[in-house]
Amino acid sequence: MLLGLPLGGGFARGLAHIGVLNVLEQNNIPVRCIVAAGNAMRFSDVARWTIGRMGIAGSDRMERVLRKLLKRYSFEQMRIPLGVVATGMVTGAAVISRDRGDAVLPIRASCSYPGLFHPVRCGDHLLVDGAIGMEVPALPARMLVASHAISLHPPMPGAAWMPTNMFHVINRCFRILHSRTEITWRQHSGLVIEPDVRGMEWDAFGSATQLIKAGEKAARQAPPRIHGWIGPPANLDRHAVAPATGSNRVRYLPERFGL
């Protein structure tokens, strides 16, 4: 049984993914591959304001940060197989980087939110954020190696939320469009974990601790289901799998795995 972890985007809100990963590790759940359509970093560390015809910020600084953070820079060296999804500006198709080559440039491309960051040129492609064309890369995870996809999806802000600046408006519009096409990734997901981060803004990097805790809380309901697929580990900590409550939830979906 091979488990893949497709990560939905969310900029700062994507920090909740760390909490989910913590719970999976605590419960000895082996992840065979990770596929990301976006990422989460502090803006000032990875970008600089550079107004141009195709964006108002450059992501050149991100390369330096990534090379400090990552122990391995190439896809071949990754301990867990990694796939990075970006969106081709010309074709509109998902461009998936995996298996070989340097991972830094594809990661930069996958974080290039349109309108904010300049697109990234990678070979013959001009690339932007992977979440634009594929909000949660469940299908690429299945294609990489996984038999089951555990999708991580930060939900859209609630009805009471109101935008206060241009970026809130753009982000909200993309989230509305994504909500209309959720079935395209949910049908390839055996399980969807949705941390309750609806009260957090896209740039809420100062709330990292709360975001990680939201991911942990949402994921605590998942291990029993996953161990139903792979079998319980010998040293499972029963206290780590207490059911989550409230709006932090795991949605169990029909297991439709035909590609």
Side-chain angles (χ1 to χ4, degrees):
M1 184 67 66
L2 302 177
L3 303 179
L5 200 65
L7 309 181
F11 213 53
R13 287 154 35 100
L15 289 166
H17 298 338
I18 297 173
V20 176
L21 290 166
N22 287 343
V23 172
L24 296 183
E25 183 176 8
Q26 290 164 10
N27 287 273
N28 300 307
I29 294 172
V31 175
R32 184 65 182 85
C33 71
I34 295 175
V35 182
N39 216 313
M41 297 179 184
R42 188 175 297 275
F43 183 85
S44 60
D45 290 339
V46 300
R48 57 189 175 89
W49 297 110
T50 309
I51 297 176
R53 289 181 296 175
M54 293 193 288
I56 61 175
S59 61
D60 310 69
R61 293 178 179 176
M62 191 181 298
E63 180 167 355
R64 182 178 67 253
V65 172
L66 288 171
R67 294 197 183 278
K68 286 182 179 179
L69 291 175
L70 299 176
K71 296 180 179 179
R72 301 172 178 85
Y73 308 134
S74 70
F75 287 102
E76 300 97 316
Q77 296 174 331
M78 298 295 175
R79 184 172 59 86
I80 298 174
L82 173 68
V84 179
V85 181
T87 303
M89 284 291 296
V90 176
T91 65
V95 177
I96 304 172
S97 301
R98 47 170 286 194
D99 297 336
R100 65 181 65 87
D102 191 282
V104 171
L105 191 61
I107 293 174
R108 269 189 60 202
S110 78
C111 301
S112 295
Y113 197 82
L116 174 60
F117 291 114
H118 299 179
V120 171
R121 185 168 295 280
C122 188
D124 296 330
H125 299 285
L126 192 63
L127 303 177
V128 294
D129 192 335
I132 299 305
M134 186 178 296
E135 184 184 12
V136 179
L139 181 57
R142 297 287 316 285
M143 296 173 67
L144 193 57
V145 291
S147 57
H148 287 63
I150 305 168
S151 295
L152 276 57
H153 176 242
M156 187 164 62
W161 178 89
M162 289 294 290
T164 59
N165 60 52
M166 177 182 69
F167 297 118
H168 290 169
V169 172
I170 294 172
N171 184 264
R172 180 69 171 190
C173 289
F174 279 127
R175 297 306 299 266
I176 292 170
L177 287 172
H178 287 155
S179 71
R180 305 294 191 268
T181 59
E182 284 188 18
I183 192 171
T184 61
W185 59 264
R186 285 185 181 273
Q187 66 182 349
H188 297 294
S189 304
L191 182 153
V192 179
I193 300 177
E194 295 185 291
D196 185 8
V197 296
R198 288 172 296 180
M200 301 290 185
E201 302 291 358
W202 68 281
D203 56 349
F205 292 104
S207 302
T209 300
Q210 297 96 306
L211 288 163
I212 293 171
K213 287 182 178 179
E216 292 175 341
K217 186 175 181 180
R220 290 191 188 116
Q221 207 175 23
R225 169 75 171 191
I226 299 170
H227 286 303
W229 299 337
I230 64 176
N235 59 344
L236 176 63
D237 179 2
R238 298 296 176 186
H239 296 289
V241 297
T245 58
S247 55
N248 282 290
R249 63 203 183 278
V250 177
R251 292 185 180 176
Y252 299 132
L253 306 177
E255 297 186 19
R256 293 172 288 181
F257 295 125
L259 299 180

